[in-house]
Amino acid sequence: MSEYSAFPIRGAWSPVARLWWMRPWNPNPLLRPSDRLEAVLRIIATLVVLVAIPVAGALATTAYTSDAARIRTEDAAKTAVSATITAEPGQLKAHLFEAPVQWTRDGRPGTATVRVSSKASLGDQVVVWLDSDVLPTTPPHPPGVAAMTGIGVGVVVLVATWFAAWSLVKGSGWLLERHHDAQCARQWRQLNRPIREDTQ
């Protein structure tokens, strides 16, 4: 069958053959302009999906490097001291307790109210992390936090880009399909009108 002989029958051709027939530069005069437009949009969406992979990788690497440097700087200023609970812990919420503690660092005493475990009691020793201003702060970040940040950025970029490309293809396909339906309805009415006039 010549490629100029007829439209491809939906479902009769393989997906590869159908994609080849729908190429925008196909000289077949039976290929509608809207079909060419849809093919161009599909090509653009495919290119966007492919380009998004190295872009997401670069952004993920940048996010990881930046977050790792920030974490190293923050954690380098943190110091652990051994503190003593000076009163019975109080329960704030379910599984959340806090208690006043006291410590000595470089000959200087310090006090604060920090979170403790549910099993802590008066006189127990707990570890308190202090920042550069000798104030209680959070413990050092666990290993892998920066890596997870980088992975998260990469995944978000990929998912957002691929969803945008998918939406472009599906949305344009839906609009063009509606356009085709409306065009066919108009052509059918134009064709049916002379037939009714001839039968009157």
Side-chain angles (χ1 to χ4, degrees):
M1 178 186 293
S2 171
E3 69 174 347
Y4 295 98
S5 60
F7 286 107
I9 300 175
R10 186 179 298 273
W13 288 18
S14 69
V16 175
R18 179 173 174 78
L19 287 175
W20 176 248
W21 190 90
M22 293 289 291
R23 65 192 187 278
W25 56 89
N26 188 343
N28 192 333
L30 297 178
L31 190 64
R32 299 170 295 189
S34 58
D35 294 329
R36 299 182 191 275
L37 174 60
E38 184 176 6
V40 169
L41 293 177
R42 288 179 180 272
I43 292 174
I44 293 174
T46 301
L47 292 176
V48 168
V49 167
L50 295 177
V51 170
I53 297 175
V55 170
L59 292 176
T61 301
T62 301
Y64 165 76
T65 303
S66 176
D67 206 45
R70 178 186 62 81
I71 289 174
R72 283 195 300 269
T73 301
E74 291 181 358
D75 289 350
K78 297 178 180 180
T79 304
V81 296
S82 179
T84 303
I85 297 178
T86 56
E88 288 294 340
Q91 185 173 6
L92 297 178
K93 299 177 182 178
H95 309 294
L96 182 60
F97 295 79
E98 67 175 12
V101 297
Q102 179 178 321
W103 68 87
T104 300
R105 179 171 179 254
D106 298 332
R108 296 182 179 180
T111 59
T113 299
V114 299
R115 292 184 181 179
V116 295
S117 70
S118 59
K119 298 180 180 180
S121 60
L122 174 64
D124 286 352
Q125 297 291 312
V126 295
V127 175
V128 176
W129 287 91
L130 305 178
D131 59 17
S132 56
D133 296 323
V134 198
L135 296 175
T137 186
T138 57
H141 296 79
V145 171
M148 293 304 298
T149 299
I151 293 173
V153 170
V155 170
V156 168
V157 171
L158 281 180
V159 171
T161 304
W162 291 351
F163 178 76
W166 179 83
S167 299
L168 173 65
V169 171
K170 289 298 183 180
S172 61
W174 183 84
L175 291 175
L176 291 174
E177 190 68 25
R178 301 288 79 73
H179 173 73
H180 294 161
D181 292 344
Q183 189 177 35
C184 289
R186 287 194 302 269
Q187 292 174 348
W188 177 253
R189 287 195 298 269
Q190 293 173 357
L191 180 64
N192 195 34
R193 186 178 301 112
I195 295 178
R196 291 200 306 269
E197 292 175 353
D198 292 342
T199 56
Q200 290 177 354

